[in-house]
Amino acid sequence: MAKSLGLLLLLVSLLEAKVSGPGSLLRAGRSEDDFVPLRSTLDEEAEDKQPAEGEGASEDKVAAEGEKSAIEGEAEATSGEAEGSEEAEAEGAEGEEGEEEELIPSEADSEVAYMLLGAVIFVVSLFYLVNWDDDDIRYYSMNIISMTMSIFSAVLMYQGINDQIKRFSADLPEFARVVIQFAHCACYIVIMQVLISALSGVVVFPGATVVNFDEKVWLIAEGLRCDYGRKLTPEEVQKVRAVGREPDAKRSVWLDQHNIEVPVRKERHNLRRAQRWMRCWAMLLAHMSGFAAINAGARLQAVEVFASSPGMALLPAIINQVVLQIFFKLSSMARSKSMEDCIKNQESSGHFKVKLCHEAVVEAENDVSSLSLSFLSVQVIRFIISGIMPNEEGEEEPLVAHSWIHIATFFGIGLMAMILAIVMAMKCTSEEEGEDEETHDKTPKKAHKVPDEPLSERLGMIISNSLAMAFAWILLFGTKWTLIKVEFLNIESMMGQIVHALGLSIFCGLAVFLLDSVDDTVRETKGGAEAASKAIRVIIQAIAILVGFSWEHCFDAAVADVAFITPHKRLSKFLLGCFVCVFLVPAWRRHILTKVMAYEELKKQKRHFNQQKKKPPGCGDTSM
């Protein structure tokens, strides 16, 4: 009986172990310690109830030991699984820690993050400046942005074309390549002359109609509308309130299809559009011509005979100006016949078109001369100070850390150049009163002649502008010298150039606010307002050129870096430059240059009002 009871208990325990298993005990809330006493109790009962017969006892003992070993094996397997799961969890935690360590940002990631944050802050800062509550700050900000866009676009187009010229002229002698660069510059000058003459109406190509600049039309003046600046149709003009009641009105409102009052203005639409197109192409082609002249003069400076001493290095700058003045004189002689025919055929309107063309051409030609003369002169100054002649891009190869004495001397020369530029501008620049567009048709016919500018006056303007541009070049390269000396950043890297340009932009922005406060202070003084206006105009022009040149280096390096990873580097750079220019130039002309010209017109109207206000009869003496 006892034997039968022991065997029954053993079978029950075996069935429980086989069916449920140790894992079920754990899942039911029982631990392995709860399972061990049951196993030990069964073992003890099996040993106490051994039968007398040896064979039967031996068989029962063997069976009991087999079952015991099976149960112990299953228990060890269960504990092994638990330990394995704990080790797997530990390894998983270590793996997650390893993955977190691998997510540490690299240097490239950090630079991209800096660029993203900096770009957002920079763009928002521009929005603040162009919407400032001071018209002068708005004008200066838009003028600087416009100059930057112009220089950037011109450099991209010029560099793309010039790389192709270098590709086909690489095997020619150095003198031949200099001549090719002068011819390259002459091509831009000719294209500029033809475009300005055609846009101003002086030259009328076969099949083209003569543009009437005297026609006044009603335009939409609501800046929030998508059709801002659109000319009203004859049916829409009838809904302008001033029509029929005030024929001489220049501003009124128009009722649109929703019966909403829309501000409108009356102006010479054809004239404004022609002026905007002329200003656009004159600036672009003038900068492209200037860079071509710089390249030609710098290549001439690199010739061994001229690179022997600073005195000899100055001769290419003089030769460069002589060649440019010859180009300008030939161009003037070529367009004089067209101007005479325009005055003869269109009388007073023709005289106005001729004057418009002449002013645009002379301003563009002076920019070409000033740009090349300032850069080549600064090259000579750097050669005198450091003893190193830079290349045609103004870079020293390899980079040299100049002494603080050299850096201070360089900045001192730049400050003297700015002071001389202000003095010469105040002596040479006449107040821009211009001819009143409203009364230009009343000019006596005997006064209609081809305008001309004496060479002495032109040279005075060129030297004044060159000194201001020289200040910009010195500040640009002087800050590079400083950054190399203090080892603040790698100025040759993309990030270094962007930080450099951004720092100069912030400096120029603070200078604009300072100049505006000076202008507001001296505006009320008698006799000082005009002098301050001329001085500030020269400084703002130099600041705009400085910002434009600093960002131009960044844009040029960016295009070169993108083109470097392509199989055809020069072709890729050319195509990238063309694509960016096609994308940027229309936006610059329509939205930025238009606002710059509008601010200039506003300043002209304010100046005219102030001049009329100072006249004693019938003007009152109310101060501004």
Side-chain angles (χ1 to χ4, degrees):
M1 187 68 181
K3 179 180 178 182
S4 300
L5 181 60
L7 290 174
L8 181 61
L9 292 175
L10 182 60
L11 290 173
V12 171
S13 64
L14 289 174
L15 289 173
E16 185 180 1
K18 292 293 182 180
V19 174
S20 301
S24 62
L25 295 176
L26 294 175
R27 288 191 294 269
R30 299 173 62 186
S31 63
E32 288 184 330
D33 295 333
D34 296 331
F35 181 73
V36 171
L38 175 62
R39 184 179 58 192
S40 60
T41 301
L42 293 175
D43 293 339
E44 292 174 357
E45 289 180 354
E47 291 175 358
D48 293 338
K49 304 300 181 179
Q50 292 179 356
E53 295 84 6
E55 295 179 0
S58 299
E59 292 175 359
D60 294 341
K61 184 176 180 180
V62 171
E65 290 177 357
E67 298 297 335
K68 178 180 177 182
S69 61
I71 294 172
E72 289 177 352
E74 291 177 357
E76 290 175 0
T78 304
S79 62
E81 290 176 0
E83 292 176 359
S85 62
E86 292 178 357
E87 292 177 358
E89 291 177 359
E91 291 176 358
E94 292 176 359
E96 291 177 357
E97 293 178 358
E99 290 179 358
E100 291 179 357
E101 292 179 355
E102 292 177 358
L103 293 177
I104 296 176
S106 63
E107 184 179 356
D109 293 334
S110 300
E111 291 182 354
V112 172
Y114 297 149
M115 283 290 300
L116 176 62
L117 297 176
V120 172
I121 296 173
F122 186 71
V123 171
V124 173
S125 301
L126 292 181
F127 275 106
Y128 274 114
L129 290 175
V130 298
N131 293 283
W132 205 260
D133 56 356
D134 190 329
D135 291 335
D136 292 333
I137 296 294
R138 292 186 181 190
Y139 167 64
Y140 297 149
S141 302
M142 293 300 297
N143 192 18
I144 292 174
I145 295 173
S146 177
M147 182 66 69
T148 303
M149 294 285 288
S150 172
I151 293 176
F152 166 47
S153 302
V155 167
L156 285 182
M157 288 191 289
Y158 167 74
Q159 289 286 2
I161 298 173
N162 192 49
D163 284 345
Q164 300 301 316
I165 294 176
K166 289 181 178 179
R167 175 184 176 185
F168 293 105
S169 62
D171 298 333
L172 297 177
E174 186 66 26
F175 180 77
R177 285 188 284 178
V178 171
V179 173
I180 290 175
Q181 287 298 325
F182 276 117
H184 188 192
C185 176
C187 291
Y188 293 136
I189 293 175
V190 172
I191 295 173
M192 179 182 67
Q193 302 272 352
V194 173
L195 279 178
I196 293 177
S197 299
L199 292 171
S200 63
V202 171
V203 175
V204 180
F205 294 105
T209 58
V210 178
V211 181
N212 183 11
F213 288 161
D214 294 329
E215 180 185 8
K216 296 181 180 180
V217 297
W218 287 102
L219 306 175
I220 295 177
E222 177 56 67
L224 296 179
R225 291 176 61 97
C226 63
D227 55 354
Y228 171 76
R230 180 179 64 84
K231 182 171 64 174
L232 298 181
T233 62
E235 293 78 12
E236 293 173 338
V237 170
Q238 299 303 319
K239 295 183 180 181
V240 177
R241 288 184 176 177
V243 173
R245 294 184 298 176
E246 300 178 9
D248 296 333
K250 297 181 180 179
R251 296 185 181 273
S252 183
V253 293
W254 161 65
L255 296 178
D256 65 358
Q257 66 271 22
H258 303 292
N259 237 12
I260 298 176
E261 292 184 346
V262 180
V264 293
R265 68 181 186 274
K266 195 174 187 179
E267 67 175 29
R268 292 183 170 91
H269 179 58
N270 293 332
L271 175 62
R272 299 301 182 196
R273 183 173 57 184
Q275 288 176 330
R276 185 169 63 250
W277 278 91
M278 281 193 297
R279 183 82 166 268
C280 170
W281 289 110
M283 290 179 67
L284 285 176
L285 291 170
H287 289 146
M288 294 176 71
S289 303
F291 288 125
I294 286 174
N295 203 324
R299 282 188 172 276
L300 202 58
Q301 286 179 331
V303 177
E304 184 177 359
V305 61
F306 295 114
S308 59
S309 66
M312 293 297 296
L314 185 61
L315 290 178
I318 300 174
I319 296 173
N320 187 283
Q321 291 302 305
V322 171
V323 174
L324 288 178
Q325 294 304 320
I326 293 174
F327 288 162
F328 298 156
K329 187 62 178 179
L330 294 175
S331 301
S332 177
M333 295 172 60
R335 68 174 182 269
S336 294
K337 177 62 177 173
S338 299
M339 288 183 171
E340 292 176 357
D341 294 339
C342 183
I343 293 176
K344 180 179 179 180
N345 297 330
Q346 303 184 36
E347 297 183 353
S348 60
S349 177
H351 171 69
F352 178 72
K353 292 179 180 180
V354 166
K355 183 179 180 182
L356 196 66
C357 175
H358 175 76
E359 291 176 350
V361 168
V362 169
E363 183 179 359
E365 291 177 348
N366 289 345
D367 285 343
V368 176
S369 298
S370 302
L371 189 60
S372 58
L373 179 60
S374 62
F375 182 87
L376 297 177
S377 300
V378 171
Q379 294 277 85
V380 176
I381 294 173
R382 295 172 65 183
F383 191 16
I384 294 173
I385 294 176
S386 64
I388 301 174
M389 188 66 192
N391 59 15
E392 62 269 15
E393 296 181 358
E395 304 295 336
E396 297 175 352
E397 298 177 350
L399 293 179
V400 178
H402 300 281
S403 64
W404 289 114
I405 296 178
H406 290 170
I407 296 173
T409 303
F410 198 41
F411 281 125
I413 294 175
L415 182 60
M416 292 176 57
M418 175 53 67
I419 294 174
L420 290 175
I422 294 172
V423 173
M424 292 198 64
M426 294 172 63
K427 295 181 65 175
C428 299
T429 307
S430 59
E431 188 69 22
E432 294 181 356
E433 297 176 352
E435 187 177 4
D436 190 2
E437 296 174 3
E438 300 295 333
T439 59
H440 74 269
D441 54 341
K442 299 180 182 179
T443 307
K445 188 174 180 179
K446 63 181 180 180
H448 294 170
K449 61 180 181 179
V450 176
D452 191 17
E453 185 177 10
L455 183 60
S456 58
E457 294 183 8
R458 171 169 283 200
L459 290 178
M461 289 300 302
I462 291 174
I463 294 175
S464 176
N465 293 338
S466 299
L467 289 170
M469 291 184 182
F471 167 76
W473 288 116
I474 290 174
L475 199 57
L476 176 65
F477 294 117
T479 51
K480 282 189 176 182
W481 283 9
T482 305
L483 293 176
I484 294 172
K485 180 65 176 178
V486 300
E487 298 181 351
F488 176 68
L489 48 83
N490 183 11
I491 198 64
E492 290 186 316
S493 65
M494 194 71 232
M495 180 60 70
Q497 294 188 26
I498 292 176
V499 172
H500 180 218
L502 186 61
L504 289 176
S505 301
I506 295 173
F507 169 78
C508 293
L510 297 176
V512 166
F513 280 95
L514 178 62
L515 292 173
D516 181 66
S517 63
V518 172
D519 188 20
D520 295 338
T521 302
V522 302
R523 187 175 294 172
E524 302 295 333
T525 62
K526 294 182 179 180
E530 294 182 1
S533 177
K534 295 175 183 178
I536 290 173
R537 193 183 315 160
V538 172
I539 299 175
I540 290 295
Q541 185 73 7
I543 287 175
I545 293 172
L546 172 62
V547 175
F549 287 152
S550 62
W551 285 106
E552 174 268 322
H553 284 192
C554 299
F555 298 143
D556 187 34
V559 173
D561 289 347
V562 174
F564 182 78
I565 62 176
T566 60
H568 304 285
K569 299 179 178 59
R570 289 180 174 175
L571 180 60
S572 300
K573 187 175 181 180
F574 172 71
L575 294 178
L576 279 173
C578 293
F579 172 76
V580 173
C581 291
V582 170
F583 183 75
L584 290 182
V585 170
W588 165 59
R589 174 178 53 82
R590 294 176 185 175
H591 306 296
I592 298 177
L593 189 59
T594 301
K595 288 182 174 58
V596 171
M597 297 178 67
Y599 281 123
E600 290 176 351
E601 184 66 22
L602 179 62
K603 289 176 69 69
K604 185 183 295 185
Q605 292 175 0
K606 288 182 177 180
R607 184 167 60 247
H608 179 72
F609 172 75
N610 292 333
Q611 291 175 352
Q612 294 295 325
K613 193 175 181 180
K614 292 178 182 179
K615 295 182 180 179
C619 294
D621 52 2
T622 305
S623 60
M624 289 185 61

